[in-house]
């Protein structure tokens, strides 16, 4: 999901550099230069959800994941007419008070969130991320109400987290079939279930040489009957 200024494991992994098109000469990050991704709960969020999000981030980038203390949802983000929380306001709150030393922030909440999309002032979303910016926010709300099992819920939330995190890396919505950066276009459940869960070669190609060094080898997730 994106607005004017914001863009809105797995049992077996198979190495496949060709899938991503990363140059074989991409250097690994220098020792001691590890980047930190902060996992920040807004309100009460199950620890297993936070851990799954952290797992997904670390599966794709050579980063250190740090769990932050829980923060209350900021009052200024509450949208009383629909009893929702404005996603862009949550991101603004993070920008104003970022976790110390964090390279990126993935905020996670169970609350229902929304933002403005084109001429629709209050469009419900699963998540929102700042394009090439500090933070993204992910909500379990949509998936929690429609997932038949806990495994399906976790897989869908994980896919959403990878998508929104991708926006912070500079990835816009992508039309490549199966790419996790596909635009849900209001169909969050269908989009998550069609997703491969991974960034395609086209998306990864926009990264600078420096940032590519932090990307792990491309992997393809096996589909399971419960998640497809």
């Amino acid at each position: 999901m994106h607005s004017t200024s914001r863009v809105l494991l797995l049992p077996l992994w198979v190495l496949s550099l060709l899938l991503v098109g990363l140059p074989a000469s991409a250097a690994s990050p220098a020792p001691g230069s590890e980047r930190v991704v902060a996992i920040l709960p807004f309100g009460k969020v199950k620890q297993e959800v936070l851990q799954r999000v952290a797992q997904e981030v670390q599966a794709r980038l050579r980063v250190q994941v740090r769990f932050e203390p829980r923060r209350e949802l900021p009052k200024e983000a509450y949208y009383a007419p629909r009893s929702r929380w404005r996603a862009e306001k949550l991101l603004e709150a993070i920008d104003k008070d970022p976790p110390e030393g964090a390279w990126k922030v993935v905020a996670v909440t169970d609350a229902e969130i929304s933002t403005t999309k084109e001429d629709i002032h209050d469009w419900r979303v699963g998540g929102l991320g700042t394009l090439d910016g500090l933070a993204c926010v992910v909500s379990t709300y949509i998936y929690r109400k429609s997932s038949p099992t806990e495994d399906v819920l976790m897989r869908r939330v994980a896919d959403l987290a990878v998508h929104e995190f991708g926006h912070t890396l500079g990835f816009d919505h992508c039309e490549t079939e199966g790419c996790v950066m596909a635009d849900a276009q209001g169909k969050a459940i269908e989009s998550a279930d069609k997703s491969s869960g991974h960034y395609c070669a086209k998306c990864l190609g926009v990264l600078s040489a420096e940032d590519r060094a932090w990307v792990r080898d491309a992997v393809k997730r096996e589909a399971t009957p419960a998640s497809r």
Side-chain angles (χ1 to χ4, degrees):
M1 170 68 195
H2 60 84
S3 58
T4 303
S5 60
R6 303 232 187 240
V7 183
L8 277 146
L9 97 177
L10 313 180
L12 295 175
W13 298 86
V14 181
L15 294 177
S16 174
L17 283 172
L18 294 177
L19 178 67
V20 180
L22 288 178
S25 60
S28 297
S33 62
E34 198 165 34
R35 295 177 176 182
V36 175
V37 176
I39 308 298
L40 172 64
F42 267 135
K44 292 183 179 179
V45 182
K46 289 184 177 180
Q47 186 62 31
E48 51 263 41
V49 173
L50 301 176
Q51 290 174 337
R52 181 59 177 268
V53 170
Q55 176 184 346
E56 295 293 332
V57 171
Q58 286 191 306
R60 287 158 181 79
L61 295 172
R62 297 180 178 91
V63 295
Q64 175 186 344
V65 170
R66 186 180 72 212
F67 294 97
E68 296 294 312
R70 178 172 65 89
R71 296 186 186 182
E72 296 301 324
L73 289 154
K75 294 180 180 179
E76 62 270 22
Y78 186 63
Y79 185 65
R82 302 292 292 277
S83 298
R84 294 172 173 172
W85 301 83
R86 298 289 294 184
E88 73 278 5
K89 295 290 186 181
L90 297 178
L91 295 181
E92 288 173 9
I94 296 172
D95 287 340
K96 291 178 181 177
D97 184 20
E100 184 176 357
W103 170 60
K104 301 289 184 183
V105 181
V106 182
V108 185
T109 183
D110 283 342
E112 185 178 15
I113 62 176
S114 64
T115 193
T116 297
K117 181 178 181 180
E118 299 173 353
D119 59 343
I120 302 176
H121 175 67
D122 188 60
W123 176 269
R124 187 176 70 174
V125 295
L128 191 69
T130 307
L131 186 60
D132 202 21
L134 171 67
C136 63
V137 59
V138 174
S139 169
T140 67
Y141 184 86
I142 294 176
Y143 300 127
R144 189 160 37 82
K145 293 179 68 68
S146 58
S147 297
T149 67
E150 190 72 10
D151 286 345
V152 172
L153 168 64
M154 286 292 191
R155 191 199 62 78
R156 289 170 172 172
V157 171
D159 188 86
L160 174 64
V162 173
H163 176 99
E164 299 304 342
F165 185 73
H167 285 316
T168 72
L169 297 176
F171 304 156
D172 206 334
H173 287 145
C174 181
E175 296 182 358
T176 301
E177 185 176 358
C179 181
V180 72
M181 295 309 299
D183 186 351
Q185 298 181 333
K187 300 178 180 179
I189 302 299
E190 181 180 340
S191 180
D193 290 348
K194 287 182 177 179
S195 172
S196 70
H198 295 282
Y199 307 122
C200 70
K202 180 180 178 181
C203 287
L204 289 169
V206 310
L207 293 175
S208 66
E210 178 184 358
D211 286 342
R212 281 201 303 271
W214 296 88
V215 178
R216 292 189 183 279
D217 294 339
V219 290
K220 182 183 294 184
R221 182 176 60 195
E222 291 189 343
T224 62
S227 64
R228 293 288 180 228

